[in-house]
Amino acid sequence: MVVSFSDLQLAFEFVSSGRGENEAYLDRQSGKIYWHSEFGDNDEELPELGKPLVLDFAREFLPVDYDEVRHIFSRRGAYRRYKDLLVRRGALERWYDFSSKSEETALREWCAENGIELSET
């Protein structure tokens, strides 16, 4: 089975969008991706990123602000406040690049661990 990496990325973004309870499922025999907006009973999960990714970025690119970032993520509304900090530091585009590359790496590792062959179309 071969899966389009761009289709897999779209499914990951759909699941990660935070708009309701979105889920995407990969049929490991056909390579088809199914999209759902409600809970299902599939055990397969896409990689968990979120807060650890933010802390990795802060550790590498905003070391002076690391404690503030940790504090930001100890309360609700963290991503809005985090984005505000990134804008103040001129690091928003760097964050987007870092996040995108990290997500791609995690998705590729997940596919390798699960025997899923990727095509680059």
Side-chain angles (χ1 to χ4, degrees), residues 66-75 81:
Y66 182 79
D67 288 336
E68 181 178 353
V69 172
R70 280 188 36 226
H71 180 70
I72 286 171
F73 278 85
S74 68
R75 303 178 315 223
R81 289 191 310 279

Side-chain angles (χ1 to χ4, degrees), residues 6-91:
S6 62
D7 288 348
L8 188 62
Q9 280 184 306
L10 286 173
F12 180 81
E13 290 169 8
F14 173 73
V15 170
S16 301
S17 70
R19 295 183 189 110
E21 299 297 329
N22 297 332
E23 297 178 337
Y25 299 95
L26 173 63
D27 181 323
R28 295 174 60 135
Q29 291 184 333
S30 70
K32 181 177 178 176
I33 297 173
Y34 296 90
W35 310 67
H36 297 279
S37 292
E38 58 192 27
F39 284 107
D41 59 355
N42 191 317
D43 292 332
E44 295 293 327
E45 296 179 7
L46 292 174
E48 177 67 37
L49 296 171
K51 184 178 176 180
L53 183 64
V54 167
L55 295 177
D56 287 346
F57 178 82
R59 191 177 295 112
E60 184 173 343
F61 296 104
L62 302 170
V64 173
D65 297 305
Y66 182 79
D67 288 336
E68 181 178 353
V69 172
R70 280 188 36 226
H71 180 70
I72 286 171
F73 278 85
S74 68
R75 303 178 315 223
R76 292 179 53 98
Y79 281 100
R80 178 186 48 77
R81 289 191 310 279
Y82 177 62
K83 186 177 176 183
D84 291 345
L85 172 69
L86 293 173
V87 169
R88 287 194 314 272
R89 299 294 187 254

